[in-house]
Amino acid sequence: MTATHQVRLLDDNGQSSLYTLRGERQWQAPATPAFNRRAFAAAHVVTDPRQVRDPRTDIVLDWEATLRYRRHLMSLGFSVAEAMDTAQRGMGLDWPTSLALITRSVEQARDFPGVTVAGGAGTDHLTDFRGLRLEDVINAYEEQVSAIEACGGRLILMASRALAAVARGPEDYLRVYDTVLRQVREPVILHWLGEMFDPALSGYWGSSQTREAMAACLSVIRDHAAKVDGIKISLLDKEKEIEMRRQLPEGVKMYTGDDFNYPELIAGDSEGYSHALLGILDAIAPAASAALNALAQGDRAQYERILAPTLPLARHIFAAPTQYYKAGIVFLAWLNGHQHHFSLLAGMESARSLRHYCQLFRLADEAGLLEQPELAAERMARFGSVHGL
C-alpha cells in the first residue's frame, strides 16, 4: 500500500489514528447479470448545492448525476424503486419533484431491457391534516397513481402519513386501500414502512400491535390479490417478515425491506424466500449484483461469502435513528466518485457524526465497496480535515 491509501480516522472513543485501506475485492460484478429474485434498488438523489439558498426548503437536484446513478444501478441488473424513502421522500423531496424524477427514470430504463421503474405513489402533497377526511386521502392517492401510470411507471403504494393521522382503526385502512386498488391498471407493490424509518407512521394498518396490523394488511392483499404484485415490509425484524411471507396468497411476492437481515431473507428457506426492495442495494450494488448472480447460478456459498461483509456496513448505515440512513448512502456514493460533493436535501448530511462516517469508511473498505481506493482516501481525508481531524 502507498501512503495515498492511508487516511486518518476516528475510532469509537474519538481517538484518531492512521488507517491503511485494504482495497481488495474477492468478487467481480457480472458483465451481464441474471437474477432469480426480483431486485429493486431504492435510489438516492443528488442535490446541486451551488443552487441552494435555503437548505431547509430548496429542492434543487443535480439531474445529470442523479440519473447517471440510476443508469449505474440498472447496468448492474437492478430495477429501481423511485422517489421512495431513500430519495428523501417526505424528508426533503416533494411530490412535483418526485413525479419529474419518476418520469425521467422511466425514460432511462428504456435502454436496459428487463429493468422496471416502480414509482412511489403516496399522499405527501397533503401537508395540512386539520379537517382531513378519508376521501381526501383517497383523492390524493388517486392523483399520484394516475400521474405515475401516465408516465409509464409501475406503482408502489407508499404508506401515508395523512392516513395514519386520520384513520380511526383498521377499517379505515381497508376502505382506502380497497378504493385505490380497484382502480389501478397493473399489480402494485404495497409498502409497509415501520416507525423506525418514519415515526409519523406509528400504528400503521390501525394497530400498534404488529400481528393485528399484519392481519389488516393481509386482509387487503387477499381481497385484491390480482392487483397486488407484492408487499415490501420494512420492520427490521426477520421473524415478522417470514411469518407474513408464509401467509401471502399464491402469486403475491414478499419484498424484503430488512436492511439488517437481507442475505438470509433473500436466500430463503424450505418454505419460500423474499425478493428485494432495499435502500442498502443503492450502497452495495456491485456486491449485491455479484451475489444475486451467484445465487441464480445455484452457488449459495458464493452468494453468502459476498454479502456477509456487507452486513456490518448495512447495520451501521441503518443504525438508530434509522431515518437518517440516507446520509450514509450518499456519503458512500460521494466517496466512490458518483457525485462531486457530499450534500443532501434539507441539509441532512449533518444528521450523522464524524465518528459515524469514519466507521462507515472502514466497513465499506472491508466489504470491498470502495471502488477507487485512492479517491476514497483523498475524499475522506478532506472531509476529516474540514471537521478538525
Side-chain angles (χ1 to χ4, degrees):
M1 290 289 182
T2 65
T4 56
H5 289 81
Q6 288 189 321
V7 61
R8 187 165 294 278
L9 302 177
L10 288 181
D11 62 22
D12 288 340
N13 297 315
Q15 301 300 310
S16 68
S17 61
L18 279 177
Y19 174 79
T20 301
L21 277 73
R22 299 179 181 182
E24 296 176 350
R25 232 177 225 191
Q26 305 300 323
W27 44 266
Q28 288 186 336
T32 54
F35 306 156
N36 61 356
R37 305 286 191 270
R38 296 292 305 278
F40 285 88
H44 75 278
V45 294
V46 183
T47 60
D48 185 349
R50 299 166 300 178
Q51 304 300 319
V52 171
R53 291 185 175 89
D54 186 344
R56 298 170 301 171
T57 58
D58 288 358
I59 302 171
V60 185
L61 298 190
D62 180 337
W63 284 105
E64 180 181 355
T66 294
L67 296 176
R68 184 172 63 244
Y69 200 79
R70 278 138 182 80
R71 293 182 69 86
H72 166 67
L73 293 171
M74 293 172 186
S75 73
L76 292 168
F78 295 105
S79 291
V80 172
E82 191 56 274
M84 300 292 290
D85 188 58
T86 304
Q88 294 185 250
R89 188 77 175 267
M91 294 183 71
L93 188 72
D94 64 3
W95 163 237
T97 313
S98 296
L99 180 58
L101 182 59
I102 294 165
T103 301
R104 297 187 190 197
S105 289
V106 169
E107 293 170 355
Q108 298 299 311
R110 292 176 182 143
D111 294 336
F112 299 89
V115 164
T116 299
V117 173
T123 64
D124 51 319
H125 56 289
L126 299 177
T127 57
D128 186 353
F129 299 163
R130 292 173 297 180
L132 201 67
R133 304 166 302 156
L134 287 180
E135 288 76 9
D136 300 317
V137 176
I138 292 169
N139 291 339
Y141 266 127
E142 290 173 344
E143 178 181 337
Q144 294 199 13
V145 164
S146 177
I148 294 170
E149 288 182 335
C151 77
R154 299 297 294 268
L155 290 170
I156 301 170
L157 284 188
M158 299 177 66
S160 165
R161 290 176 179 174
L163 179 54
V166 303
R168 294 164 296 180
E171 64 282 354
D172 286 344
Y173 286 87
L174 270 59
R175 176 182 168 191
V176 169
Y177 279 92
D178 178 75
T179 304
V180 175
L181 286 170
R182 288 180 185 277
Q183 302 177 59
V184 298
R185 295 179 188 170
E186 298 179 290
V188 308
I189 299 174
L190 300 180
H191 186 213
W192 183 0
L193 193 66
E195 63 185 270
M196 68 289 294
F197 287 92
D198 187 345
L201 298 176
S202 177
Y204 209 74
W205 299 109
S207 177
S208 60
Q209 301 300 311
T210 302
R211 282 187 172 82
E212 293 178 6
M214 189 182 297
C217 182
L218 284 166
S219 176
V220 168
I221 294 171
R222 290 173 183 137
D223 287 345
H224 300 278
K227 291 291 187 77
V228 179
D229 171 66
I231 178 164
K232 165 196 164 77
I233 64 171
S234 298
L235 303 179
L236 301 183
D237 185 323
K238 65 179 182 181
E239 300 303 331
K240 291 174 182 175
E241 178 175 321
I242 292 170
E243 179 181 348
M244 187 172 187
R245 187 172 75 194
R246 291 175 177 169
Q247 299 180 66
L248 291 174
E250 185 176 358
V252 176
K253 303 176 187 69
M254 172 60 73
Y255 287 91
T256 186
D258 190 334
D259 302 278
F260 285 178
N261 301 290
Y262 52 91
E264 176 184 350
L265 290 163
I266 295 169
D269 55 31
S270 60
E271 297 187 49
Y273 55 80
S274 297
H275 299 268
L277 199 165
L278 289 161
I280 195 59
L281 292 180
D282 180 297
I284 68 167
S289 180
L292 288 168
N293 193 68
L295 184 65
Q297 295 175 357
D299 192 345
R300 180 162 176 168
Q302 176 69 350
Y303 164 86
E304 293 174 346
R305 278 193 297 270
I306 296 171
L307 287 187
T310 71
L311 265 179
L313 173 66
R315 290 171 178 173
H316 180 71
I317 288 175
F318 284 81
T322 301
Q323 65 264 36
Y324 298 131
Y325 75 88
K326 297 91 168 171
I329 297 282
V330 176
F331 188 68
L332 186 53
W334 173 65
L335 290 176
N336 281 327
H338 291 291
Q339 52 196 78
H340 297 303
H341 59 82
F342 172 48
S343 59
L344 286 81
L345 295 172
M348 199 62 66
E349 64 273 11
S350 64
R352 297 296 201 186
S353 68
L354 176 59
R355 293 187 194 182
H356 180 90
Y357 292 124
C358 286
Q359 180 64 358
L360 186 156
F361 184 91
R362 290 190 195 90
L363 293 171
D365 180 46
E366 291 171 5
L369 288 168
L370 295 181
E371 298 172 17
Q372 304 175 65
E374 186 170 352
L375 174 66
E378 185 269 331
R379 289 190 167 183
M380 186 72 231
R382 281 197 282 131
F383 182 79
S385 176
V386 168
H387 291 80
L389 182 57

